[in-house]
């Protein structure tokens, strides 16, 4: 009987080492396979719709832009209130759409824009603007009580809250302010054209909304037809062509494709941006921590450019950038064609192709909003969650105030982490009417201008008596004295009762006290 001798110690060690290496390779391959599978089939994101506002459920066909032509559609926040704007059967409907407070206001007058923040307390204003002139409606967000405040013959382009008053953007880069008494507080300004960095804007205006956003009690950024102004009371600090982006009270104006340089207001000082610097037109209009300089990403901190992070493949940047966010893996970006992730080696990691309207990096993950208003959470180029409902065209993605809100023509959804039920808002049960009109009392003042030298027709608007050129109202003629349709001779005779009166003006604007038929002035035109 014979026995096999054991292998030499060295051979046993080699076999053990080989086994360990093979095991390590197998484990590594398994890990790679698992990683590849996870990338191809990422786990479903734990996200739900916490609340939903549907145009159909609140009784309107679609929501309109609340803050001006070309801005996103759907309900939006003004202070603490969620406000929506719609048109139904020839009526303008302004609505508060919150679970604890809801109301709707109806008027036949179209409203073109509302202030992005309250003027004082919870009071905001909305602008009605047409070729016939402009009107201001003052609204209490808590109660829905509204009254007409002011009328002027000039068509205003935008409206904002500024210094406890209402700022109106007028043609030719002029501005006017109206106080809460409904009086013009100064003549249109600025008198002198501010230093401007302008370029042709015809090709760029479709991507630039007409809007005015309050940055603080004494600063507003206004964008009209591709020209951006930074405005303070009675002065324009900065004027430049481009797309406005915000960071606190600082403003960055990213240039259009046909311009080579943008501008900024940083720490109260005007500065030119580096040549060819293009900032992403972010969904919330805020400057991201990273910018693009001729396709090269840069840190953008405290208004200064740092060192390049890396040079990325140029093909990745096709389309106008919508957002850009730096993370440990590289850069996540949104462009017109979808989302991309660029690794730290400068090469494309993944892409999520979709006609993109909005996108951002959020606490829920990378969000993509399609042009039809479908919301997706994206990881490794795959949608790990998709909204059960679409918010519709012209969507707005807002991540301010600690909420993730997506709005559009069909309504609004609020996203939240985890799983849960959706609170759905129904139509407001309280319907309001415009309760008040602008008063025209004796002792107040008006600005009167002739329409032409060949006509007796004039325009009139209320103004503070300190404004140059105003005239005091000596007395008023009301429907208690004469009929609403009284002729000119009858109205003139009614004014002559006051011997100091030299001019009679009939009042035809429907925003003023309906009892006032004419005003009597001491001065001549």
């Amino acid at each position: 009987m014979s026995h096999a001798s054991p292998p030499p110690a060295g051979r046993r060690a080699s076999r053990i080492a080989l086994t360990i290496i093979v095991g390590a390779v197998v484990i590594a391959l398994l890990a790679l396979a698992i990683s590849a599978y996870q990338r191809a089939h990422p786990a479903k994101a734990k996200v739900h719709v916490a609340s939903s506002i549907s145009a159909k459920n609140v009784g309107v066909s679609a929501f309109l832009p609340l803050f001006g032509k070309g801005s996103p559609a759907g309900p939006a926040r003004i202070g603490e209130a969620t406000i929506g704007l719609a048109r139904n059967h020839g009526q303008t409907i302004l609505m508060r759409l919150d679970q604890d407070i809801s109301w709707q206001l109806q008027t036949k007058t179209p409203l073109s824009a509302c202030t992005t923040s309250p003027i004082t307390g919870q009071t905001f204003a909305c602008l009605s603007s047409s070729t016939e002139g402009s009107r201001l409606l003052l609204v209490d967000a808590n109660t829905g009580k509204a009254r007409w405040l002011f009328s002027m013959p000039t068509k205003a382009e935008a409206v904002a809250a500024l210094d406890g008053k209402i700022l109106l953007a007028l043609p030719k880069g002029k501005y006017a302010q109206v106080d809460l008494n409904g009086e013009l507080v100064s003549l249109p300004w600025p008198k002198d054209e501010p230093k401007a960095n302008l370029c042709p804007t015809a090709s760029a205006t479709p991507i630039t909304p007409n809007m005015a956003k309050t940055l603080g009690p004494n600063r507003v950024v206004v964008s009209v037809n591709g020209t951006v102004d930074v405005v303070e009371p009675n002065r324009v600090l900065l004027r430049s062509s481009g797309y406005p982006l915000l960071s606190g009270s600082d403003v960055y104006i990213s240039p259009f494709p046909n311009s080579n340089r943008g501008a900024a207001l940083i720490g109260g000082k005007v500065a030119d941006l580096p040549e060819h610097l293009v900032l992403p037109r972010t969904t919330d209009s805020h400057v991201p921590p990273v910018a693009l300089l001729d396709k090269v990403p840069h840190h953008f901190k405290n208004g200064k450019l740092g060192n390049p992070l890396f040079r990325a493949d140029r093909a990745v940047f096709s389309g106008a950038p919508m957002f850009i966010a730096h993370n440990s893996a590289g850069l996540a970006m949104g462009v017109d064609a979808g989302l991309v992730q660029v690794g730290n080696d400068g090469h494309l990691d993944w892409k999520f192709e979709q006609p993109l309207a909005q996108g951002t990096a959020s606490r829920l993950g990378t969000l993509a909003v399609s042009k039809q208003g479908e919301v997706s959470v994206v990881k490794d180029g795959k949608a790990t969650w998709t909204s059960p409902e679409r918010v519709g065209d012209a969507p707005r993605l807002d991540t301010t105030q600690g909420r993730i809100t997506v709005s559009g023509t069909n309504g609004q959804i609020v996203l939240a982490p985890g799983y849960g039920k959706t609170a759905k808002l129904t139509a407001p049960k309280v319907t309001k009417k415009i309760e008040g009109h602008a008063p025209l009392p004796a002792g107040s003042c008006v600005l009167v201008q002739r329409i032409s030298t060949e006509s007796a027709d004039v325009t009139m608007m209320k103004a503070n008596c300190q404004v140059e050129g105003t005239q005091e109202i000596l007395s008023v003629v009301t429907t208690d004295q004469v009929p609403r349709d009284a002729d000119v001779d009858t109205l003139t005779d009614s004014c002559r009762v006051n011997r100091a009166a030299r001019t009679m003006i009939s009042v035809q604007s429907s925003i003023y006290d309906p009892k006032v038929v004419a005003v009597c002035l001491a001065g001549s035109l």
Side-chain angles (χ1 to χ4, degrees):
M1 185 170 171
S2 62
H3 299 276
S5 59
R11 191 179 301 171
R12 283 201 309 272
S14 297
R15 287 178 179 177
I16 292 170
L18 182 60
T19 301
I20 293 171
I21 292 171
V22 170
V25 170
V26 170
I27 291 171
L29 289 173
L30 281 172
L32 287 172
I34 292 171
S35 176
Y37 181 84
Q38 289 176 338
R39 287 173 67 91
H41 305 85
K44 293 295 182 182
K46 295 179 180 180
V47 179
H48 74 285
V49 176
S51 65
S52 169
I53 299 171
S54 163
K56 183 178 179 181
N57 287 350
V58 299
V60 299
S61 56
F63 286 105
L64 302 174
L66 183 63
F67 299 135
K69 181 182 70 175
S71 64
R77 301 283 282 185
I78 300 179
E80 299 300 318
T82 302
I83 304 295
L85 180 65
R87 288 278 293 174
N88 253 18
H89 307 296
Q91 292 273 337
T92 296
I93 302 176
L94 193 68
M95 319 172 88
R96 176 160 183 179
L97 299 165
D98 289 305
Q99 293 290 343
D100 53 343
I101 302 176
S102 65
W103 47 258
Q104 63 177 354
L105 174 73
Q106 295 186 2
T107 173
K108 291 183 179 180
T109 305
L111 299 176
S112 48
C114 297
T115 57
T116 59
S117 62
I119 303 153
T120 180
Q122 285 295 300
T123 299
F124 65 95
C126 294
L127 170 68
S128 175
S129 184
S130 69
T131 54
E132 296 178 357
S134 304
R135 298 176 177 183
L136 285 175
L137 183 69
L138 202 63
V139 184
D140 185 320
N142 285 334
T143 64
K145 184 179 290 187
R147 63 183 177 92
W148 290 111
L149 182 73
F150 178 77
S151 175
M152 71 185 310
T154 306
K155 180 184 178 181
E157 304 287 353
V159 62
L162 178 65
D163 191 29
K165 303 176 184 69
I166 302 166
L167 178 75
L168 292 173
L170 306 178
K172 300 181 180 179
K174 300 293 185 182
Y175 292 91
Q177 276 186 277
V178 178
D179 64 20
L180 295 185
N181 294 320
E183 296 180 345
L184 194 72
V185 297
S186 67
L187 293 175
W189 46 268
K191 289 184 178 180
D192 301 319
E193 183 74 16
K195 181 183 177 182
N197 181 17
L198 301 178
C199 65
T201 58
S203 64
T205 48
I207 65 168
T208 307
N210 279 10
M211 52 80 77
K213 184 175 178 63
T214 300
L215 302 184
N218 296 308
R219 184 170 294 171
V220 170
V221 59
V222 180
S223 175
V224 175
N225 296 331
T227 297
V228 181
D229 284 354
V230 182
V231 180
E232 291 186 349
N234 297 311
R235 65 173 181 158
V236 176
L237 294 177
L238 171 63
R239 176 167 290 172
S240 182
S241 298
Y243 193 95
L245 294 160
L246 317 173
S247 178
S249 59
D250 296 339
V251 182
Y252 301 83
I253 303 171
S254 185
F256 292 134
N258 53 349
S259 300
N260 62 5
R261 177 166 290 183
L265 183 77
I266 304 170
K269 296 183 178 180
V270 176
D272 288 331
L273 293 182
E275 196 169 359
H276 301 302
L277 175 68
V278 178
L279 299 174
R281 58 177 202 270
T282 56
T283 57
D284 57 4
S285 296
H286 283 75
V287 176
V290 179
L292 297 178
L293 178 59
D294 193 25
K295 314 300 182 185
V296 182
H298 283 245
H299 275 299
F300 207 64
K301 186 178 181 182
N302 298 327
K304 297 179 181 178
L305 284 170
N307 295 321
L309 298 174
F310 54 82
R311 185 175 295 275
D313 293 332
R314 286 175 179 261
V316 170
F317 294 93
S318 60
M322 294 181 189
F323 87 93
I324 182 168
H326 183 234
N327 54 44
S328 59
L331 281 184
M333 285 169 287
V335 295
D336 291 333
L339 299 176
V340 293
Q341 172 81 28
V342 182
N344 286 316
D345 59 0
H347 296 286
L348 181 66
D349 278 352
W350 56 258
K351 60 183 176 180
F352 177 73
E353 293 185 86
Q354 181 187 68
L356 195 68
Q358 307 255 300
T360 193
S362 77
R363 58 192 173 92
L364 299 179
T366 303
L367 298 180
V369 183
S370 74
K371 292 184 178 179
Q372 292 74 41
E374 183 178 76
V375 186
S376 300
V377 178
V378 179
K379 183 179 180 182
D380 294 331
K382 306 288 183 181
T384 61
W385 180 85
T386 301
S387 59
E389 54 192 284
R390 295 181 175 182
V391 299
D393 298 337
R396 170 195 290 107
L397 176 58
D398 188 354
T399 58
T400 58
Q401 298 185 351
R403 307 193 327 162
I404 298 175
T405 304
V406 189
S407 307
T409 53
N410 292 349
Q412 180 186 89
I413 57 176
V414 178
L415 306 185
Y419 304 114
K421 295 181 179 180
T422 301
K424 296 193 175 184
L425 194 75
T426 56
K429 296 179 181 179
V430 179
T431 300
K432 301 283 186 176
K433 293 183 179 180
I434 296 175
E435 297 183 357
H437 293 74
L440 275 174
S444 61
C445 294
V446 291
L447 269 175
V448 182
Q449 295 176 326
R450 283 190 178 276
I451 293 177
S452 73
T453 57
E454 301 174 357
S455 169
D457 292 339
V458 298
T459 62
M460 181 185 76
M461 53 186 166
K462 284 184 69 177
N464 186 285
C465 293
Q466 300 300 315
V467 174
E468 183 182 352
T470 56
Q471 296 198 45
E472 182 181 352
I473 298 176
L474 294 179
S475 59
V476 296
V477 181
T478 70
T479 52
D480 294 334
Q481 300 165 261
V482 299
R484 163 60 63 182
D485 58 356
D487 58 31
V488 172
D489 291 338
T490 301
L491 295 177
T492 302
D493 289 341
S494 298
C495 275
R496 284 174 178 160
V497 173
N498 188 328
R499 294 183 178 182
R502 294 289 179 270
T503 303
M504 181 281 298
I505 298 176
S506 62
V507 178
Q508 299 176 0
S509 174
S510 60
I511 80 140
Y512 291 116
D513 182 348
K515 292 192 67 175
V516 178
V517 182
V519 295
C520 311
L521 310 179
S524 301
L525 299 182

